[in-house]
mmCIF file of all heavy atoms in Angstrom:
data_model
loop_
_atom_site.group_PDB
_atom_site.id
_atom_site.type_symbol
_atom_site.label_atom_id
_atom_site.label_comp_id
_atom_site.label_asym_id
_atom_site.label_seq_id
_atom_site.Cartn_x
_atom_site.Cartn_y
_atom_site.Cartn_z
ATOM 1 N N ALA A 756 108.651 99.476 108.298
ATOM 2 C CA ALA A 756 107.723 99.983 109.309
ATOM 3 C C ALA A 756 108.439 100.886 110.308
ATOM 4 O O ALA A 756 107.882 101.885 110.765
ATOM 5 C CB ALA A 756 107.047 98.827 110.038
ATOM 6 N N VAL A 757 109.675 100.561 110.637
ATOM 7 C CA VAL A 757 110.462 101.385 111.560
ATOM 8 C C VAL A 757 110.649 102.789 110.996
ATOM 9 O O VAL A 757 110.442 103.786 111.693
ATOM 10 C CB VAL A 757 111.840 100.731 111.843
ATOM 11 C CG1 VAL A 757 112.786 101.703 112.525
ATOM 12 C CG2 VAL A 757 111.672 99.481 112.678
ATOM 13 N N GLY A 758 111.004 102.891 109.730
ATOM 14 C CA GLY A 758 111.185 104.201 109.106
ATOM 15 C C GLY A 758 109.909 105.006 109.065
ATOM 16 O O GLY A 758 109.884 106.197 109.372
ATOM 17 N N LYS A 759 108.800 104.361 108.710
ATOM 18 C CA LYS A 759 107.516 105.063 108.647
ATOM 19 C C LYS A 759 107.062 105.535 110.021
ATOM 20 O O LYS A 759 106.585 106.649 110.187
ATOM 21 C CB LYS A 759 106.456 104.158 108.020
ATOM 22 C CG LYS A 759 106.627 103.979 106.538
ATOM 23 C CD LYS A 759 105.541 103.103 105.955
ATOM 24 C CE LYS A 759 105.727 102.965 104.460
ATOM 25 N NZ LYS A 759 104.700 102.117 103.864
ATOM 26 N N GLN A 760 107.222 104.683 111.012
ATOM 27 C CA GLN A 760 106.795 105.060 112.353
ATOM 28 C C GLN A 760 107.661 106.186 112.909
ATOM 29 O O GLN A 760 107.156 107.102 113.559
ATOM 30 C CB GLN A 760 106.835 103.866 113.296
ATOM 31 C CG GLN A 760 106.270 104.213 114.657
ATOM 32 C CD GLN A 760 106.035 102.987 115.510
ATOM 33 O OE1 GLN A 760 106.339 101.878 115.110
ATOM 34 N NE2 GLN A 760 105.500 103.191 116.688
ATOM 35 N N ALA A 761 108.945 106.151 112.645
ATOM 36 C CA ALA A 761 109.831 107.214 113.119
ATOM 37 C C ALA A 761 109.437 108.550 112.505
ATOM 38 O O ALA A 761 109.407 109.579 113.195
ATOM 39 C CB ALA A 761 111.279 106.879 112.785
ATOM 40 N N ASN A 762 109.111 108.553 111.219
ATOM 41 C CA ASN A 762 108.693 109.800 110.572
ATOM 42 C C ASN A 762 107.370 110.294 111.143
ATOM 43 O O ASN A 762 107.174 111.500 111.316
ATOM 44 C CB ASN A 762 108.582 109.604 109.060
ATOM 45 C CG ASN A 762 109.944 109.619 108.406
ATOM 46 O OD1 ASN A 762 110.874 110.226 108.910
ATOM 47 N ND2 ASN A 762 110.057 108.943 107.291
ATOM 48 N N GLN A 763 106.469 109.388 111.464
ATOM 49 C CA GLN A 763 105.194 109.792 112.064
ATOM 50 C C GLN A 763 105.422 110.403 113.438
ATOM 51 O O GLN A 763 104.793 111.405 113.800
ATOM 52 C CB GLN A 763 104.242 108.596 112.166
ATOM 53 C CG GLN A 763 102.868 108.966 112.665
ATOM 54 C CD GLN A 763 102.155 109.928 111.724
ATOM 55 O OE1 GLN A 763 102.104 109.686 110.526
ATOM 56 N NE2 GLN A 763 101.623 111.005 112.255
ATOM 57 N N LEU A 764 106.321 109.823 114.209
ATOM 58 C CA LEU A 764 106.647 110.378 115.526
ATOM 59 C C LEU A 764 107.210 111.790 115.408
ATOM 60 O O LEU A 764 106.858 112.680 116.184
ATOM 61 C CB LEU A 764 107.635 109.477 116.259
ATOM 62 C CG LEU A 764 107.088 108.159 116.789
ATOM 63 C CD1 LEU A 764 108.227 107.275 117.275
ATOM 64 C CD2 LEU A 764 106.080 108.409 117.890
ATOM 65 N N ILE A 765 108.078 111.999 114.435
ATOM 66 C CA ILE A 765 108.666 113.329 114.229
ATOM 67 C C ILE A 765 107.576 114.329 113.845
ATOM 68 O O ILE A 765 107.531 115.449 114.368
ATOM 69 C CB ILE A 765 109.781 113.278 113.167
ATOM 70 C CG1 ILE A 765 110.998 112.541 113.747
ATOM 71 C CG2 ILE A 765 110.177 114.678 112.722
ATOM 72 C CD1 ILE A 765 112.070 112.239 112.732
ATOM 73 N N GLU A 766 106.664 113.928 112.943
ATOM 74 C CA GLU A 766 105.573 114.830 112.547
ATOM 75 C C GLU A 766 104.677 115.185 113.733
ATOM 76 O O GLU A 766 104.305 116.347 113.912
ATOM 77 C CB GLU A 766 104.743 114.195 111.435
ATOM 78 C CG GLU A 766 105.440 114.195 110.099
ATOM 79 C CD GLU A 766 104.625 113.491 109.023
ATOM 80 O OE1 GLU A 766 103.412 113.270 109.225
ATOM 81 O OE2 GLU A 766 105.218 113.153 107.988
ATOM 82 N N ASP A 767 104.351 114.194 114.546
ATOM 83 C CA ASP A 767 103.515 114.441 115.722
ATOM 84 C C ASP A 767 104.220 115.370 116.702
ATOM 85 O O ASP A 767 103.608 116.260 117.289
ATOM 86 C CB ASP A 767 103.154 113.130 116.415
ATOM 87 C CG ASP A 767 102.202 112.285 115.588
ATOM 88 O OD1 ASP A 767 101.624 112.809 114.610
ATOM 89 O OD2 ASP A 767 102.045 111.094 115.920
ATOM 90 N N TRP A 768 105.490 115.165 116.898
ATOM 91 C CA TRP A 768 106.271 115.996 117.823
ATOM 92 C C TRP A 768 106.347 117.425 117.308
ATOM 93 O O TRP A 768 106.243 118.384 118.074
ATOM 94 C CB TRP A 768 107.661 115.407 118.008
ATOM 95 C CG TRP A 768 108.509 116.201 118.948
ATOM 96 C CD1 TRP A 768 109.455 117.121 118.640
ATOM 97 C CD2 TRP A 768 108.459 116.166 120.377
ATOM 98 N NE1 TRP A 768 110.004 117.649 119.762
ATOM 99 C CE2 TRP A 768 109.408 117.082 120.846
ATOM 100 C CE3 TRP A 768 107.708 115.455 121.300
ATOM 101 C CZ2 TRP A 768 109.627 117.298 122.207
ATOM 102 C CZ3 TRP A 768 107.938 115.665 122.638
ATOM 103 C CH2 TRP A 768 108.881 116.573 123.071
ATOM 104 N N GLN A 769 106.502 117.584 116.007
ATOM 105 C CA GLN A 769 106.614 118.920 115.425
ATOM 106 C C GLN A 769 105.317 119.712 115.583
ATOM 107 O O GLN A 769 105.349 120.929 115.654
ATOM 108 C CB GLN A 769 107.005 118.825 113.950
ATOM 109 C CG GLN A 769 108.466 118.463 113.757
ATOM 110 C CD GLN A 769 108.828 118.280 112.298
ATOM 111 O OE1 GLN A 769 107.977 117.974 111.477
ATOM 112 N NE2 GLN A 769 110.093 118.460 111.980
ATOM 113 N N LYS A 770 104.211 119.066 115.638
ATOM 114 C CA LYS A 770 102.937 119.767 115.819
ATOM 115 C C LYS A 770 102.857 120.403 117.202
ATOM 116 O O LYS A 770 102.240 121.439 117.381
ATOM 117 C CB LYS A 770 101.761 118.814 115.623
ATOM 118 C CG LYS A 770 101.581 118.387 114.190
ATOM 119 C CD LYS A 770 100.455 117.380 114.067
ATOM 120 C CE LYS A 770 100.347 116.875 112.639
ATOM 121 N NZ LYS A 770 99.348 115.823 112.504
ATOM 122 N N LYS A 771 103.509 119.789 118.174
ATOM 123 C CA LYS A 771 103.469 120.293 119.546
ATOM 124 C C LYS A 771 104.599 121.277 119.820
ATOM 125 O O LYS A 771 104.439 122.214 120.583
ATOM 126 C CB LYS A 771 103.579 119.130 120.537
ATOM 127 C CG LYS A 771 102.409 118.188 120.477
ATOM 128 C CD LYS A 771 102.614 117.022 121.418
ATOM 129 C CE LYS A 771 101.482 116.034 121.245
ATOM 130 N NZ LYS A 771 101.666 114.836 122.025
ATOM 131 N N LYS A 772 105.735 121.053 119.221
ATOM 132 C CA LYS A 772 106.905 121.863 119.502
ATOM 133 C C LYS A 772 107.785 121.880 118.255
ATOM 134 O O LYS A 772 108.043 120.853 117.656
ATOM 135 C CB LYS A 772 107.678 121.241 120.671
ATOM 136 C CG LYS A 772 108.924 121.961 121.065
ATOM 137 C CD LYS A 772 109.589 121.244 122.233
ATOM 138 C CE LYS A 772 110.909 121.877 122.560
ATOM 139 N NZ LYS A 772 111.598 121.174 123.623
ATOM 140 N N GLU A 773 108.258 123.066 117.899
ATOM 141 C CA GLU A 773 109.092 123.174 116.713
ATOM 142 C C GLU A 773 110.483 122.607 116.989
ATOM 143 O O GLU A 773 111.162 123.001 117.933
ATOM 144 C CB GLU A 773 109.217 124.634 116.281
ATOM 145 C CG GLU A 773 109.978 124.787 114.989
ATOM 146 C CD GLU A 773 110.037 126.224 114.522
ATOM 147 O OE1 GLU A 773 109.163 127.012 114.922
ATOM 148 O OE2 GLU A 773 110.968 126.540 113.779
ATOM 149 N N ILE A 774 110.867 121.662 116.151
ATOM 150 C CA ILE A 774 112.224 121.111 116.240
ATOM 151 C C ILE A 774 112.837 121.128 114.856
ATOM 152 O O ILE A 774 112.140 121.113 113.850
ATOM 153 C CB ILE A 774 112.244 119.664 116.812
ATOM 154 C CG1 ILE A 774 111.417 118.733 115.939
ATOM 155 C CG2 ILE A 774 111.776 119.627 118.234
ATOM 156 C CD1 ILE A 774 111.547 117.285 116.299
ATOM 157 N N LYS A 775 114.123 121.171 114.801
ATOM 158 C CA LYS A 775 114.820 121.168 113.517
ATOM 159 C C LYS A 775 115.382 119.773 113.291
ATOM 160 O O LYS A 775 116.523 119.497 113.588
ATOM 161 C CB LYS A 775 115.911 122.214 113.503
ATOM 162 C CG LYS A 775 115.357 123.604 113.648
ATOM 163 C CD LYS A 775 116.428 124.648 113.497
ATOM 164 C CE LYS A 775 115.886 125.945 113.928
ATOM 165 N NZ LYS A 775 115.488 126.894 113.094
ATOM 166 N N GLN A 776 114.517 118.925 112.791
ATOM 167 C CA GLN A 776 114.880 117.529 112.564
ATOM 168 C C GLN A 776 114.402 117.127 111.176
ATOM 169 O O GLN A 776 113.251 117.325 110.840
ATOM 170 C CB GLN A 776 114.225 116.634 113.626
ATOM 171 C CG GLN A 776 114.422 115.162 113.413
ATOM 172 C CD GLN A 776 115.858 114.734 113.617
ATOM 173 O OE1 GLN A 776 116.531 115.212 114.504
ATOM 174 N NE2 GLN A 776 116.327 113.838 112.788
ATOM 175 N N GLU A 777 115.303 116.568 110.397
ATOM 176 C CA GLU A 777 114.902 116.074 109.087
ATOM 177 C C GLU A 777 114.203 114.741 109.248
ATOM 178 O O GLU A 777 114.424 114.029 110.216
ATOM 179 C CB GLU A 777 116.131 115.891 108.195
ATOM 180 C CG GLU A 777 116.795 117.192 107.812
ATOM 181 C CD GLU A 777 117.963 116.960 106.876
ATOM 182 O OE1 GLU A 777 117.930 115.971 106.124
ATOM 183 O OE2 GLU A 777 118.881 117.753 106.905
ATOM 184 N N LYS A 778 113.362 114.427 108.273
ATOM 185 C CA LYS A 778 112.707 113.128 108.278
ATOM 186 C C LYS A 778 113.754 112.031 108.129
ATOM 187 O O LYS A 778 114.747 112.203 107.442
ATOM 188 C CB LYS A 778 111.721 113.018 107.118
ATOM 189 C CG LYS A 778 110.411 113.669 107.375
ATOM 190 C CD LYS A 778 109.462 113.298 106.255
ATOM 191 C CE LYS A 778 108.050 113.528 106.698
ATOM 192 N NZ LYS A 778 107.101 112.955 105.764
ATOM 193 N N LEU A 779 113.480 110.903 108.744
ATOM 194 C CA LEU A 779 114.341 109.745 108.584
ATOM 195 C C LEU A 779 114.046 109.093 107.244
ATOM 196 O O LEU A 779 112.956 109.201 106.715
ATOM 197 C CB LEU A 779 114.102 108.745 109.721
ATOM 198 C CG LEU A 779 114.379 109.278 111.111
ATOM 199 C CD1 LEU A 779 113.951 108.246 112.151
ATOM 200 C CD2 LEU A 779 115.849 109.614 111.277
ATOM 201 N N LYS A 780 115.012 108.399 106.701
ATOM 202 C CA LYS A 780 114.831 107.746 105.416
ATOM 203 C C LYS A 780 113.969 106.500 105.579
ATOM 204 O O LYS A 780 114.297 105.626 106.354
ATOM 205 C CB LYS A 780 116.177 107.356 104.819
ATOM 206 C CG LYS A 780 117.025 108.544 104.463
ATOM 207 C CD LYS A 780 118.344 108.093 103.896
ATOM 208 C CE LYS A 780 119.227 109.287 103.612
ATOM 209 N NZ LYS A 780 120.539 108.893 103.148
ATOM 210 N N GLU A 781 112.881 106.435 104.818
ATOM 211 C CA GLU A 781 112.057 105.239 104.832
ATOM 212 C C GLU A 781 112.667 104.157 103.960
ATOM 213 O O GLU A 781 112.171 103.060 103.882
ATOM 214 C CB GLU A 781 110.636 105.564 104.377
ATOM 215 C CG GLU A 781 109.875 106.337 105.427
ATOM 216 C CD GLU A 781 108.472 106.693 104.989
ATOM 217 O OE1 GLU A 781 107.956 106.086 104.039
ATOM 218 O OE2 GLU A 781 107.906 107.596 105.600
ATOM 219 N N LEU A 782 113.766 104.476 103.287
ATOM 220 C CA LEU A 782 114.461 103.478 102.487
ATOM 221 C C LEU A 782 115.157 102.449 103.355
ATOM 222 O O LEU A 782 115.835 101.576 102.872
ATOM 223 C CB LEU A 782 115.504 104.147 101.581
ATOM 224 C CG LEU A 782 114.953 104.896 100.389
ATOM 225 C CD1 LEU A 782 116.074 105.585 99.632
ATOM 226 C CD2 LEU A 782 114.201 103.957 99.471
ATOM 227 N N MET A 783 114.994 102.579 104.654
ATOM 228 C CA MET A 783 115.562 101.632 105.583
ATOM 229 C C MET A 783 115.115 100.210 105.253
ATOM 230 O O MET A 783 115.840 99.260 105.429
ATOM 231 C CB MET A 783 115.077 102.020 106.985
ATOM 232 C CG MET A 783 115.901 101.569 108.094
ATOM 233 S SD MET A 783 115.159 102.302 109.557
ATOM 234 C CE MET A 783 116.607 102.523 110.501
ATOM 235 N N GLY A 784 113.914 100.070 104.770
ATOM 236 C CA GLY A 784 113.374 98.767 104.434
ATOM 237 C C GLY A 784 112.937 98.720 102.983
ATOM 238 O O GLY A 784 113.185 99.640 102.217
ATOM 239 N N HIS A 785 112.287 97.635 102.601
ATOM 240 C CA HIS A 785 111.909 97.431 101.212
ATOM 241 C C HIS A 785 110.414 97.192 101.085
ATOM 242 O O HIS A 785 109.780 96.667 101.988
ATOM 243 C CB HIS A 785 112.631 96.205 100.650
ATOM 244 C CG HIS A 785 114.101 96.371 100.555
ATOM 245 N ND1 HIS A 785 114.715 97.111 99.576
ATOM 246 C CD2 HIS A 785 115.103 95.889 101.334
ATOM 247 C CE1 HIS A 785 116.015 97.073 99.742
ATOM 248 N NE2 HIS A 785 116.275 96.340 100.804
ATOM 249 N N THR A 786 109.889 97.531 99.916
ATOM 250 C CA THR A 786 108.524 97.162 99.582
ATOM 251 C C THR A 786 108.530 95.693 99.165
ATOM 252 O O THR A 786 109.576 95.157 98.783
ATOM 253 C CB THR A 786 107.990 98.024 98.422
ATOM 254 O OG1 THR A 786 108.763 97.737 97.251
ATOM 255 C CG2 THR A 786 108.051 99.514 98.756
ATOM 256 N N PRO A 787 107.383 95.035 99.212
ATOM 257 C CA PRO A 787 107.328 93.649 98.739
ATOM 258 C C PRO A 787 107.823 93.494 97.293
ATOM 259 O O PRO A 787 108.455 92.510 96.944
ATOM 260 C CB PRO A 787 105.849 93.286 98.870
ATOM 261 C CG PRO A 787 105.370 94.137 100.015
ATOM 262 C CD PRO A 787 106.125 95.443 99.846
ATOM 263 N N LYS A 788 107.550 94.477 96.449
ATOM 264 C CA LYS A 788 108.004 94.436 95.054
ATOM 265 C C LYS A 788 109.531 94.442 94.988
ATOM 266 O O LYS A 788 110.127 93.692 94.210
ATOM 267 C CB LYS A 788 107.432 95.637 94.300
ATOM 268 C CG LYS A 788 107.822 95.725 92.851
ATOM 269 C CD LYS A 788 107.187 96.956 92.220
ATOM 270 C CE LYS A 788 107.646 97.178 90.804
ATOM 271 N NZ LYS A 788 107.077 98.405 90.227
ATOM 272 N N GLN A 789 110.181 95.275 95.796
ATOM 273 C CA GLN A 789 111.640 95.335 95.810
ATOM 274 C C GLN A 789 112.232 94.018 96.297
ATOM 275 O O GLN A 789 113.249 93.549 95.773
ATOM 276 C CB GLN A 789 112.113 96.486 96.694
ATOM 277 C CG GLN A 789 111.758 97.848 96.140
ATOM 278 C CD GLN A 789 111.962 98.963 97.147
ATOM 279 O OE1 GLN A 789 112.022 98.734 98.359
ATOM 280 N NE2 GLN A 789 112.048 100.183 96.652
ATOM 281 N N VAL A 790 111.595 93.410 97.295
ATOM 282 C CA VAL A 790 112.052 92.116 97.813
ATOM 283 C C VAL A 790 111.884 91.037 96.749
ATOM 284 O O VAL A 790 112.784 90.224 96.522
ATOM 285 C CB VAL A 790 111.300 91.741 99.105
ATOM 286 C CG1 VAL A 790 111.578 90.307 99.514
ATOM 287 C CG2 VAL A 790 111.684 92.691 100.230
ATOM 288 N N PHE A 791 110.743 91.045 96.054
ATOM 289 C CA PHE A 791 110.495 90.047 95.011
ATOM 290 C C PHE A 791 111.555 90.123 93.918
ATOM 291 O O PHE A 791 112.131 89.107 93.524
ATOM 292 C CB PHE A 791 109.097 90.231 94.413
ATOM 293 C CG PHE A 791 108.847 89.340 93.232
ATOM 294 C CD1 PHE A 791 108.547 87.999 93.414
ATOM 295 C CD2 PHE A 791 108.933 89.841 91.943
ATOM 296 C CE1 PHE A 791 108.334 87.167 92.331
ATOM 297 C CE2 PHE A 791 108.721 89.019 90.850
ATOM 298 C CZ PHE A 791 108.422 87.686 91.040
ATOM 299 N N PHE A 792 111.810 91.334 93.414
ATOM 300 C CA PHE A 792 112.774 91.462 92.327
ATOM 301 C C PHE A 792 114.208 91.207 92.799
ATOM 302 O O PHE A 792 115.031 90.705 92.044
ATOM 303 C CB PHE A 792 112.638 92.817 91.623
ATOM 304 C CG PHE A 792 111.471 92.850 90.680
ATOM 305 C CD1 PHE A 792 110.327 93.556 90.986
ATOM 306 C CD2 PHE A 792 111.500 92.127 89.504
ATOM 307 C CE1 PHE A 792 109.241 93.562 90.130
ATOM 308 C CE2 PHE A 792 110.421 92.118 88.635
ATOM 309 C CZ PHE A 792 109.275 92.841 88.945
ATOM 310 N N GLY A 793 114.500 91.523 94.048
ATOM 311 C CA GLY A 793 115.804 91.176 94.605
ATOM 312 C C GLY A 793 115.977 89.666 94.678
ATOM 313 O O GLY A 793 117.032 89.124 94.323
ATOM 314 N N ALA A 794 114.930 88.973 95.119
ATOM 315 C CA ALA A 794 114.979 87.506 95.200
ATOM 316 C C ALA A 794 115.113 86.900 93.802
ATOM 317 O O ALA A 794 115.912 85.978 93.596
ATOM 318 C CB ALA A 794 113.732 86.977 95.897
ATOM 319 N N LEU A 795 114.365 87.421 92.847
ATOM 320 C CA LEU A 795 114.441 86.929 91.475
ATOM 321 C C LEU A 795 115.846 87.125 90.905
ATOM 322 O O LEU A 795 116.403 86.215 90.281
ATOM 323 C CB LEU A 795 113.405 87.646 90.610
ATOM 324 C CG LEU A 795 113.264 87.171 89.173
ATOM 325 C CD1 LEU A 795 112.816 85.714 89.135
ATOM 326 C CD2 LEU A 795 112.256 88.053 88.434
#
């Protein structure tokens, strides 16, 4: 959720003012499927 929210903030900011910022990696966290298979 942190990665997704950070990317949304960057997109919203870019609409108001042009900045040269790459998107943050949403790979910061895992999907439930990735957690399940990691646990298995």
Side-chain angles (χ1 to χ4, degrees):
V757 167
K759 287 181 179 180
Q760 185 168 3
N762 282 333
Q763 185 62 49
L764 287 170
I765 289 171
E766 286 177 16
D767 291 347
W768 180 261
Q769 285 176 335
K770 290 177 184 175
K771 295 177 185 175
K772 179 180 175 183
E773 185 177 337
I774 59 171
K775 297 186 192 258
Q776 174 69 39
E777 292 183 29
K778 279 189 161 191
L779 300 174
K780 294 179 183 176
E781 287 179 18
L782 286 176
M783 203 175 212
H785 294 284
T786 65
K788 180 180 174 183
Q789 293 168 340
V790 170
F791 173 78
F792 282 107
L795 185 62

